[in-house]
């Protein structure tokens, strides 16, 4: 039986006594289908954090919310761990809750998943499955979802956009069933299902949807103040094991509830989702077992082989937790050989999780003699074509015919690599002596502050660039002028760590790299911790005489503003420990690498793909984060703000920063950096736009040296102060704010700008502030 339903047009058009409800046809991707389902379900709250390829779920919902199509409260987490916490709290509050993520996002949220399952709090989490780092690859495989197998969440698998839509409804009903009460995850293939559009049927009968879902049952909630209760107590032996028995029992109950709910869905829609999807298995000698979209390819190949007289079939679970062990036993009882493909390895276990679990399921059946071939395929988005499916079938047929398996476990599709090519910079590496730097720094003994003498700016053209040309950034991108100004003033040996973001992604496409000095990437939630470890190892190895003390390396972390949201905890940790390193943030006011979602540094009212603009919403709903002041509160030796639009000012500050990072401890710098693509401004308009942000006092230029604040540019004193509207009118992302209806929003931005500016000025004027 297949999950496909291409004959729904008639029942959709003619809901009849068969129990089918009115539906309508749409042409949608998996992510759009998840967003439409969310709208039709009417979740109370969505907690989320952007990550490719699942981000579109939140983006679509943001657009729909701006257009007044739903009322889901959308809360952007500071990272996926935060988003999962938001969802847990919201779900404890008794309403319906949604999240969507992928890859590292799921892994970063993972710690919260057993907390929620263990305390039995239902919600729905969509996963557009993607490869996990490292190295980083944004395309699809199943290495992320396999990590969720042991969390206690129910796991549904959606093979196409229609299934994504349908299974979101089923997820609500299954998770909220009184005997189950568990959170539910709906997994679909990144890009293949998340982005490819298909014809799908969506409900066109809100009343029928309401009837199917019912109201969310009243589970114990901290919002029920009439019945005080403790949620998540500390547990001792034997209560914890008993708690886990209950979780297991809930999964057992789900074995019964899931088919019931899916049967009810089938009645309403005409679309069937058996727990284990079986295709042409009625008399199959040979089977292929695959998860999600690849199974559809395998079905076409099965048809071709059947036409040649081969008895082959395909199995694909629609439910991964609870695992359909009994269904596999039944389906494979007569099968002589099966190839089980996994889009992720369980390294060292001799198979991926699906293969291991199917083997475990059938080995307890004395009547089963199926030979199993485990194959790892399709990693990092590697396509799975009909030719691959044919090979899988042929290998199983050979095993069935010979009675022996030639290779029980193998990777499928790997190559010999490129033995002649090495990961190397396109240009020769740069050494300390090549970069004398553009500044002399000395300490003023009277004030204890640093004085910088800068070479004339034209000298910059003589400096070799530590970052080579040929990167793939957008024309006019400000990240690179920013990096060049930083690098040209830093003298000697520099080791950089880039957190994930545009500057990282466009400079390191394996096997090339634009970095001509030592470069490390770590994900943008943990770069500061990683660099602090490297710094400590450097100093310890110098102390032990293992590395030359004469070298005097400078350690620099480069991050976007988004990395200072999700990576804030480790960055503050590094600041509190005061490691000798620099954290330099290029602030382009959003998560640009993933398609311009809001960051906490996005200013109020600005349009991003998750703070959309429409009749119901005028862009972002809260003010930008003052990251420089957060670091100032850590009392590190040096904090500054700067902009690529003021190169001399920026370079002076970076020169000071290098001195402090070598001699005293941690430095943080926030650098306003142009993003023409997502600010919706001309490629060559960096200077006027940045100047306007600074002259409006929205982005004050200052430094804090040992706690003393100094304004390095004062628009008031220079007679150049302008209202924020003069800045907002220069960018497409803010033009909507200039309509009369949004005048109060602009007044709010102006008021907050004035308030923050007055505080900085007061700090500048008063040595104790
Ligand atoms: C744990 C985790 N969550 C989400 C992502 C997806 N992601 C990668 S870069 C990025 C945005 C980076 O924004 P920012 O630091 O501001 O740098 P920019 O892209 O603007 O240069 C996001 C959301 C990820 N890689 N890992
Ligand atoms: S999206 Fe913006 S920050 Fe990213 S490369 Fe393009 S211009 Fe630069």
């Amino acid at each position: 039986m297949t999950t496909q339903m291409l004959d729904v047009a008639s029942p959709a058009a003619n809901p009849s006594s068969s129990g089918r409800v009115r539906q309508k046809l749409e042409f949608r991707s998996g992510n759009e289908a998840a967003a439409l389902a969310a709208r039709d379900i009417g979740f109370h709250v969505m907690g989320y954090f952007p990550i490719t390829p699942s981000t579109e779920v939140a983006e679509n919902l943001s657009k729909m919310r701006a257009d007044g199509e739903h009322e889901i409260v959308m809360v952007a987490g500071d990272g996926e761990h935060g988003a999962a916490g938001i969802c847990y709290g919201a779900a404890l509050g008794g309403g319906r809750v949604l999240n969507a993520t992928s890859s590292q996002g799921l892994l970063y949220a993972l710690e919260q998943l057993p907390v929620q399952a263990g305390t039995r709090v239902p919600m729905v989490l969509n996963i557009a499955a993607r490869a996990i780092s490292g190295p980083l690859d944004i395309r699809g495989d199943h290495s992320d979802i396999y990590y969720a197998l042991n969390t206690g969440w129910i796991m549904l698998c959606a093979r196409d956009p229609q299934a994504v839509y349908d299974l979101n409804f089923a997820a609500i009903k299954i998770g909220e069933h009184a005997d189950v009460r568990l959170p539910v995850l709906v997994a679909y293939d990144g890009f293949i299902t998340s982005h490819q559009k298909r014809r799908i049927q969506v409900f066109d009968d809100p009343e029928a949807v309401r009837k199917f879902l019912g109201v969310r049952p009243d589970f114990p909630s901290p919002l029920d103040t009439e019945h005080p209760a403790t949620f998540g107590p500390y547990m001792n032996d034997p209560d914890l094991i008993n708690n886990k028995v209950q979780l297991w029992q809930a999964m057992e109950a789900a074995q019964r509830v899931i088919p019931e709910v899916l049967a009810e869905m089938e009645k309403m829609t005409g679309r069937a989702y058996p727990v284990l999807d079986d295709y042409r298995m009625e008399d199959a000698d040979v089977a292929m077992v695959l998860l999600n979209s690849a199974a559809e390819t395998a079905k076409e190949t099965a048809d071709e082989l059947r036409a040649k007289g081969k008895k082959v079939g395909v199995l694909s679970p629609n439910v991964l937790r609870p695992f359909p062990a009994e269904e596999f036993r039944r389906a494979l009882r007569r099968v002589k050989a099966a190839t089980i493909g996994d889009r992720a390895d369980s390294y060292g276990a001799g198979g991926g999780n699906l293969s291991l679990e199917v083997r475990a399921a059938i080995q307890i059946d004395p009547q089963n003699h199926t030979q199993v071939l485990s194959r790892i395929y399709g990693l990092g988005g590697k396509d799975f074509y009909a030719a691959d499916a044919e090979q899988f079938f042929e290998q199983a047929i050979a095993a069935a015919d010979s009675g022996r398996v030639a290779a029980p476990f193998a990777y499928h599709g790997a190559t010999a690599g490129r033995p002649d090519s090495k990961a190397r910079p396109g240009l020769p590496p740069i050494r300390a002596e090549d970069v004398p730097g553009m500044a002399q720094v000395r300490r003023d003994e009277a004030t204890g502050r640093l004085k910088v003498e800068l070479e004339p700016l034209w000298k910059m053209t003589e400096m070799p660039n530590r970052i080579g040309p040929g990167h793939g950034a957008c024309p006019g991108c400000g990240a690179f002028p920013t990096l060049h100004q930083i690098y040209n003033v830093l003298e000697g040996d520099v080791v950089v760590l880039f957190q994930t973001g545009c500057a990282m992604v466009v400079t390191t496409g394996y096997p090339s790299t634009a970095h001509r000095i030592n470069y490390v990437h770590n994900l943008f939630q943990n770069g500061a911790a990683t660099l602090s470890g490297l710094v400590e190892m450097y100093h310890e190895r110098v102390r032990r005489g293992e590395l030359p003390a004469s070298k005097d390396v400078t350690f620099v972390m480069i991050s976007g503003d988004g990395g200072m949201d999700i990576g804030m905890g480790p960055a503050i940790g590094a600041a509190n420990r005061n490691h000798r390193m620099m954290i330099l943030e290029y602030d382009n006011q959003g998560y640009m690498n993933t398609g311009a979602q809001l960051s906490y540094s996005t200013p109020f009212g600005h349009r991003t793909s998750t703070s959309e603009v429409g009749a119901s919403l005028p862009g972002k709903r809260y003010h930008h984060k003052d990251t420089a002041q957060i670091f100032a509160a850590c009392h590190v030796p040096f904090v500054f703000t700067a902009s690529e639009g003021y190169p001399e000012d920026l370079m002076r500050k970076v020169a000071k920063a290098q001195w402090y990072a070598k001699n005293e401890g941690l430095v943080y710098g926030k650098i306003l950096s142009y993003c023409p693509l997502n600010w919706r401004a001309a490629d060559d308009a960096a200077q006027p736009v940045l100047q306007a942000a600074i002259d409006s006092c929205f982005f004050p230029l200052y430094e804090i040296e040992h706690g003393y604040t100094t304004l390095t540019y004062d628009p008031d004193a220079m007679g150049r102060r302008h209202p924020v509207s003069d800045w907002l009118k220069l960018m497409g992302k803010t033009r909507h704010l200039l309509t009369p209806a949004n005048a109060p929003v602009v007044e709010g931005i102006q008021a907050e700008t004035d308030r923050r500016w007055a505080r900085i000025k007061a700090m500048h004027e008063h040595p104790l502030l």
Side-chain angles (χ1 to χ4, degrees), residues 18 36 53 171-172 175 193 246 365 372 463 494 531 588 655 681 695 713-714:
S18 67
L36 288 182
I172 297 272
T193 306
Q246 289 177 344
D365 178 1
V372 173
M463 296 288 238
V494 176
L531 192 61
N588 53 25
D695 282 342
Y713 173 73
D714 181 348

Side-chain angles (χ1 to χ4, degrees), residues 159 255 275-278 281 287-291 314-335 338-341 353-365 368 370 372:
R159 212 162 312 141
Q255 303 261 21
V275 167
L276 179 61
D277 183 74
D278 59 300
M281 285 296 297
M288 175 137 46
V289 184
L290 295 171
L291 202 60
V314 179
L315 293 170
S316 183
N318 285 318
V319 180
L320 210 48
R321 282 290 181 273
F323 191 69
E326 185 50 43
E327 286 78 1
F328 270 113
R329 277 192 283 278
R330 246 182 277 132
L332 289 171
R333 186 156 290 159
R334 292 188 49 262
V335 169
T339 303
I340 306 180
N353 289 92
L354 182 61
S355 143
L356 298 175
E357 295 196 10
V358 174
R359 286 195 217 183
I362 58 178
Q363 70 87 28
I364 61 168
D365 178 1
N368 183 286
T370 311
V372 173

